[in-house]
Amino acid sequence: MGEPAYRRVVIKVSGESLAGDQAFGIHQPTLDRIAGDLVKARELGVEIAVVVGGGNIFRGVEVSSRGVSRTTGDTMGMLATVMNCLALESALERRGQSTRTLTALVMPQVSELFTRAAAHRYLAEGRIVLLAGGTGNPYFTTDTTAVLRAAEIGAQAVLKATNVDGVYSADPKKDKSATRFERLTHSQAVEGGYKVMDATAFALARETALPIIVFSVAEPGSIGAILNGKGRGTLVAG
Ligand code: UDP
């Protein structure tokens, strides 16, 4: 097995990937498997911060289409990420992995507020740090949060774990002629308007020179494989 390519990474786990085959909520066996993959990845010696999405519970845009204001919908989405984080924290702790959830929203009874100092400290202690609450601001996504936090804590890459094995020219579930990119530049990713990740996230990654690897977490062991440079995905860099 090769040496992991990175010392510290941010892994973005979408809410959708926690739902497994369900349309909504958390599929416990899938959550447990992803937790197991994260523990194995940590055992490679890589420091891991995880930004968790919330789309399996609430997305601001969808909630606001039902008559709630966009900012309230986005707050509901951010709270959904907190619930997912708590579920993932429990799954990791059950495996004996020490973790710490840091949130962008002030909720002292639930978890500590995110600060760079706290993240550095817990990562150095070998804990998996879970980042809840997105950026703490409406109109952003957890993809953008992942890139922002990676830049803030000096991570070398963002691993975007999703249900597809990379960036495609079109939605591969809807368009049979869609082709997968092995590699894209940040500018190509921004300009391509690909649905898998939002343009704000790609633009911030370009600004901060952070590579992003988009890959499928549906494959068991895929996080470790990506860290060892052997996984299948799309590298967005340069
Ligand atoms: N959200 C937000 N600000 C943030 C991050 C997330 O308002 O900084 C809200 C937004 O409504 C979003 C929801 O939280 O739709 C869930 O996050 P996201 O859609 O990124 O989750 P994922 O698609 O990864 O499951």
Side-chain angles (χ1 to χ4, degrees):
M1 204 188 286
E3 276 287 293
Y6 309 107
R7 187 180 47 79
R8 175 178 288 184
V9 295
V10 169
I11 303 177
K12 159 67 205 290
V13 175
S14 68
E16 199 183 29
S17 64
L18 298 178
D21 291 336
Q22 299 172 181
F24 183 86
I26 297 170
H27 183 240
Q28 196 63 40
T30 302
L31 175 80
D32 284 335
R33 188 185 53 69
I34 292 173
D37 274 9
L38 286 168
V39 173
K40 284 202 198 91
R42 173 70 203 110
E43 284 164 0
L44 297 172
V46 180
E47 292 178 355
I48 295 173
V50 182
V51 169
V52 183
N56 56 323
I57 303 172
F58 286 123
R59 265 184 226 284
V61 181
E62 287 163 16
V63 176
S64 63
S65 71
R66 300 197 294 268
V68 174
S69 74
R70 172 67 191 268
T71 48
T72 300
D74 280 340
T75 304
M76 291 167 74
M78 288 188 272
L79 291 172
T81 73
V82 178
M83 289 193 260
N84 282 335
C85 265
L86 295 176
L88 185 57
E89 182 185 80
S90 297
L92 288 164
E93 298 272 351
R94 272 199 303 277
R95 289 172 180 269
Q97 171 64 53
S98 62
T99 65
R100 192 77 182 186
T101 297
L102 300 176
T103 174
L105 301 166
V106 183
M107 40 174 73
Q109 290 87 346
V110 179
S111 84
E112 187 178 335
L113 190 66
F114 168 82
T115 61
R116 281 191 303 129
H120 281 303
R121 183 167 74 247
Y122 296 130
L123 287 168
E125 285 172 10
R127 299 182 194 235
I128 291 182
V129 173
L130 303 179
L131 300 173
T135 61
N137 299 290
Y139 300 102
F140 286 95
T141 64
T142 53
D143 284 350
T144 302
T145 309
V147 179
L148 172 67
R149 296 299 187 227
E152 286 183 283
I153 66 174
Q156 284 97 43
V158 173
L159 274 55
K160 153 102 181 173
T162 182
N163 284 343
V164 280
D165 60 354
V167 183
Y168 280 76
S169 56
D171 184 345
K173 285 180 191 138
K174 293 181 188 149
D175 184 347
K176 287 276 166 282
S177 66
T179 52
R180 194 178 66 88
F181 299 108
E182 200 61 43
R183 200 186 163 120
L184 286 172
T185 64
H186 287 117
S187 293
Q188 285 169 332
V190 172
E191 283 146 28
Y194 305 112
K195 290 276 180 292
V196 72
M197 197 157 183
D198 62 87
T200 310
F202 284 133
L204 185 59
R206 176 172 61 187
E207 175 82 23
T208 53
L210 266 167
I212 299 175
I213 303 160
V214 181
F215 69 104
S216 170
V217 78
E219 285 298 309
S222 57
I223 299 173
I226 292 288
L227 288 172
N228 279 322
K230 292 179 183 147
R232 178 179 163 86
T234 299
L235 172 66
V236 180

